[in-house]
Amino acid sequence: MPNDSKDTYSQPSSTELSQVQRRAVGELLRVSPVADDLAARFERAGFSLALVGGSVRDALLGRLGNDLDFTTDARPEDVLRIVRPWADAVWEVGIAFGTVGCRKTAPAAAAGEAPRDYQLEITTYRSEAYDRDSRKPEVVYGDSLEEDLLRRDFTVNAMAVALPRKEFIDPHNGLTDLARRVLRTPGTPEASFSDDPLRMLRAARFAAQLDFTVAEPVRAAMVAMAERIEIVSAERVRDELNKLLLSDHPRKGISLLVDTGLAQRVLPEVPALRLERDEHHRHKDVYEHSLTVLEQAIALEDGKPDLVLRLAALLHDIGKPRTRRFEGDGRVSFHHHEVVGAKMTKQRMSKLKYPNDVIKDVSRLVELHLRFHGYGTGEWTDSAVRRYVRDAGPLLNRLHKLTRSDCTTRNKRKALALSRAYDGLEERIERLKQQEELDAIRPDLDGNEIMKILDIRPGPEVGKAYRHLLELRLENGPLGHEAAVAALKDWWAAQS
């Protein structure tokens, strides 16, 4: 059924629509050689083909890449028969869901230009629906483009361009919604989210990626149906959260998840940061602080979105609710929240099936994010600086960014003092790096040398000796070979 939302918004002007359409023409002309060639092959085989979904949306936004989505009335086995003689590579990873993937290299459009590689996904008209308790959707093939567009998640993704005649098809006013930057569903949001509850997370993700507003009926359905997200697999939830976090406006998506109650189901540690206030015990809004830290960390990225840094920034204070204490003088304390938070981060990310290396890095950053605050105005010894670098290891650059982002005070004098102090720490680290090869702190003697000097075989004693020399290295800097040998022999004598 059509979208019959009653909430009001201003209609786009003809100028706005024409600008959108002009962008689309330019983008579609760029991909025409590949798209038209493929469409002609489908037409000769007796099937139809249309550019669809995100590809049409992105063409209208002027941001179409080389990943193109198509839909067809051909069944997957027919699609394979058509594309195999034509494509440079074909894969069947998504064939159970009606999708065939392939790669096609198009020749350069003009002299001096490089050939373009296109990644194509061709999906048979279909619908998906979850049983009440199923974690996997059931795929049913459809018979018409109109049915296929109706089952799409949002109107801005329910537009198509029929090929090769390039007829624009928009039965649900997606172009209007795109021009006004609003997310609506082709049918009722309740029916859409019942078919695939993951679409509720996709609403937040698209709001973050495209900087769109979610229509009020869609938001209301997300609130009412939040518990349905629990039937979706952890892997699909994780992938949507990643896309949201790696977007240009993650605060917008996270806020929507929290406000609708979805975050309580998939990432409950974040809404828990909204610690209640009372008139006697005032303290910083930890939830808003965390979102600000996330934004400030993004501003420090080196051009490319950093998932590990963004996760650490969002989660760095999740240990605070469990460690909050009201002190006798009216202050609020969160002792050891970084240690508790690191354990909570590991547990939540494990439930969401993150790779072990990502879990390890994010939880380590959470654990270390407070370490700098013991630095004061430079009271650390060189030994303490070495340990800071050793403990951060390959995460040191990210720890620099996280620590700087964690300063959200509005007190300009305090913020400047913290910034200068961290500048001083980084300068000391650089000086020590030049002097001591801090990036690879290790003892002056390796395991083989230890065994030779002490005349011992491999065993626990070698590890103990190595750790003793490492502590000396951290405490005093490089000893030199002779001093290290003497220190090792002294230690060994004491052990005997």
Side-chain angles (χ1 to χ4, degrees), residues 246-418:
L246 292 172
S247 70
D248 290 338
H249 308 279
R251 175 191 277 263
K252 191 167 191 175
I254 294 165
S255 297
L256 182 60
L257 292 180
V258 171
D259 293 344
T260 57
L262 280 160
Q264 185 62 40
R265 309 281 178 171
V266 299
L267 200 60
E269 294 80 5
V270 172
L273 294 173
R274 294 192 296 186
L275 300 171
E276 67 274 11
R277 297 171 176 228
D278 63 53
E279 58 182 326
H280 301 296
H281 299 285
R282 298 182 181 275
H283 56 274
K284 185 185 299 184
D285 186 325
V286 183
Y287 170 67
E288 287 296 328
H289 163 75
S290 297
L291 294 183
T292 301
V293 172
L294 172 60
E295 290 181 320
Q296 293 183 170
I298 291 171
L300 294 176
E301 289 175 340
D302 301 320
K304 185 178 180 182
D306 185 341
L307 180 63
V308 168
L309 177 62
R310 294 188 183 198
L311 281 164
L314 178 63
L315 303 176
H316 76 284
D317 273 347
I318 61 172
K320 281 191 170 180
R322 290 190 183 179
T323 58
R324 183 176 58 163
R325 297 290 183 271
F326 294 119
E327 306 295 348
D329 59 2
R331 293 183 302 108
V332 179
S333 67
F334 305 97
H335 295 307
H336 306 301
H337 76 268
E338 73 280 12
V339 177
V340 174
K343 292 178 180 178
M344 293 171 63
T345 296
K346 185 175 182 180
Q347 291 169 353
R348 176 53 53 191
M349 293 183 67
S350 296
K351 289 181 180 179
L352 289 171
K353 308 296 185 183
Y354 275 91
N356 289 334
D357 59 334
V358 177
I359 296 173
K360 180 181 178 182
D361 287 349
V362 175
S363 57
R364 185 62 168 159
L365 285 171
V366 171
E367 183 180 4
L368 293 175
H369 83 272
L370 273 189
R371 182 74 64 86
F372 163 71
H373 292 282
Y375 185 74
T377 56
E379 290 84 358
W380 278 5
T381 62
D382 284 351
S383 172
V385 175
R386 293 186 193 100
R387 294 175 191 277
Y388 187 77
V389 173
R390 189 272 309 268
D391 290 348
L395 298 172
L396 182 62
N397 190 43
R398 285 180 170 128
L399 183 59
H400 287 334
K401 294 174 183 177
L402 178 60
T403 302
R404 288 186 180 277
S405 302
D406 197 23
C407 176
T408 61
T409 179
R410 296 181 181 178
N411 185 320
K412 292 184 178 180
R413 181 179 298 178
K414 183 178 180 181
L416 182 60
L418 285 169

Side-chain angles (χ1 to χ4, degrees), residues 43 67 103 116 123 141 246 315 484:
E43 195 171 51
D67 294 347
R103 176 176 57 82
R116 287 181 177 269
T123 302
Y141 294 134
L246 292 172
L315 303 176

Side-chain angles (χ1 to χ4, degrees), residues 76-96:
E77 59 272 17
D78 296 314
V79 174
L80 286 171
R81 178 169 49 83
I82 294 168
V83 301
R84 274 188 171 137
W86 173 81
D88 298 312
V90 177
W91 50 90
E92 304 177 27
V93 175
I95 201 164

